[in-house]
């Protein structure tokens, strides 16, 4: 696995723990104190010492940015019908598919479906990158086809602390 993929896995797992365990247990100081553990985990994934060091620092940065941002804290807060890293299955009649949704919850009378992407990109490129994940998010939205709540799809970029909501798709 690439270092970027390993860091993404690590950040996803930590965001899941934060969402499930409650934000009260997490602070920037606690995350920073876990950097050596993150580095050991990355070494165990087969990354060099230098890669593990830079990857652990990037994971800490993503998590601290999330905790420091109002949006990040809102994403991880308790919400009705909330789930983190929830596994779902669907079938198109013949082929079964498995899906793992990073974060889903109800807020503002809408069901939010959020995917995390741990990528280092300039701020100006985030909306275009978020749009590139529309097919994935629309597959997730299909799991809620019978839901009376309006759906809102978004990508959260932990390194930048930015949530980019996808506008509704234009109908053909």
């Amino acid at each position: 696995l690439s270092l970027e993929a390993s860091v993404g896995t690590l950040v996803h797992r930590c965001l899941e723990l934060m969402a499930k365990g409650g934000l009260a247990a997490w602070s920037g100081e606690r995350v920073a104190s876990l950097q050596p553990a993150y580095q050991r985990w990355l070494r165990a994934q087969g990354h060099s010492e230098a890669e593990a060091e830079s990857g652990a620092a990037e994971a800490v940065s993503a998590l601290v940015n999330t905790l420091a941002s109002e949006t990040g804290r809102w994403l991880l807060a308790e919400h009705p019908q909330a789930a983190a890293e929830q596994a779902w299955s669907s079938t198109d009649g013949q082929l079964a598919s498995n899906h793992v949704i990073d974060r889903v919850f109800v807020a503002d009378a809408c069901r939010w479906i959020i995917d995390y992407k741990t990528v280092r990109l300039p701020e100006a490129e985030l909306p275009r990158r978020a749009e590139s994940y529309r097919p994935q998010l629309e597959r997730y939205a299909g799991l809620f086809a019978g839901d009376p709540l309006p759906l809102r799809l978004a990508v959260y970029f932990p390194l930048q602390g930015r949530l980019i909501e996808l506008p509704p798709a234009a109908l053909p």
Side-chain angles (χ1 to χ4, degrees), residues 99 101 111 113 134-147 151-153:
H99 316 270
I101 301 177
R111 183 173 311 278
I113 299 173
R134 181 182 292 278
Q136 176 185 358
L137 284 157
E138 287 182 345
R139 275 195 314 277
Y140 296 163
L143 297 167
F144 298 93
D147 191 335
L151 295 175
R152 295 179 75 175
L153 310 179

Side-chain angles (χ1 to χ4, degrees), residues 1-168:
L1 235 70
S2 72
L3 180 62
E4 186 176 302
S6 293
V7 169
T9 298
L10 179 59
V11 170
H12 274 72
R13 180 71 179 119
C14 292
L15 293 174
E16 175 188 6
L17 292 170
M18 290 174 182
K20 287 181 175 175
L23 283 174
W26 291 91
S27 65
E29 294 76 26
R30 179 178 180 198
V31 169
S33 76
L34 292 170
Q35 187 165 337
Y38 298 160
Q39 202 168 325
R40 284 191 301 276
W41 185 84
L42 289 165
R43 286 283 297 135
Q45 304 312 301
H47 298 288
S48 71
E49 191 61 47
E51 286 178 328
E53 192 173 322
S54 71
E58 189 156 272
V60 166
S61 175
L63 297 167
V64 168
N65 284 348
T66 299
L67 290 171
S69 101
E70 188 178 324
T71 300
R73 295 187 71 77
W74 175 76
L75 283 177
L76 298 174
E78 287 187 45
H79 294 283
Q81 300 179 38
E85 299 296 327
Q86 182 78 45
W88 302 78
S89 295
S90 65
T91 180
D92 64 5
Q94 297 173 335
L95 186 64
S97 298
N98 295 315
H99 316 270
V100 177
I101 301 177
D102 294 341
R103 189 79 173 128
V104 60
F105 55 82
V106 173
D108 310 317
C110 295
R111 183 173 311 278
W112 285 84
I113 299 173
I114 296 155
D115 199 52
Y116 304 142
K117 296 298 178 190
T118 308
V119 294
R120 194 164 286 288
L121 286 173
E123 187 84 14
E125 289 182 33
L126 296 179
R128 190 176 53 213
R129 179 61 71 96
E131 185 61 40
S132 76
Y133 296 111
R134 181 182 292 278
Q136 176 185 358
L137 284 157
E138 287 182 345
R139 275 195 314 277
Y140 296 163
L143 297 167
F144 298 93
D147 191 335
L149 291 174
L151 295 175
R152 295 179 75 175
L153 310 179
V155 177
Y156 181 66
F157 295 95
L159 283 166
Q160 295 83 359
R162 282 286 314 277
L163 181 71
I164 307 286
E165 185 175 357
L166 298 180

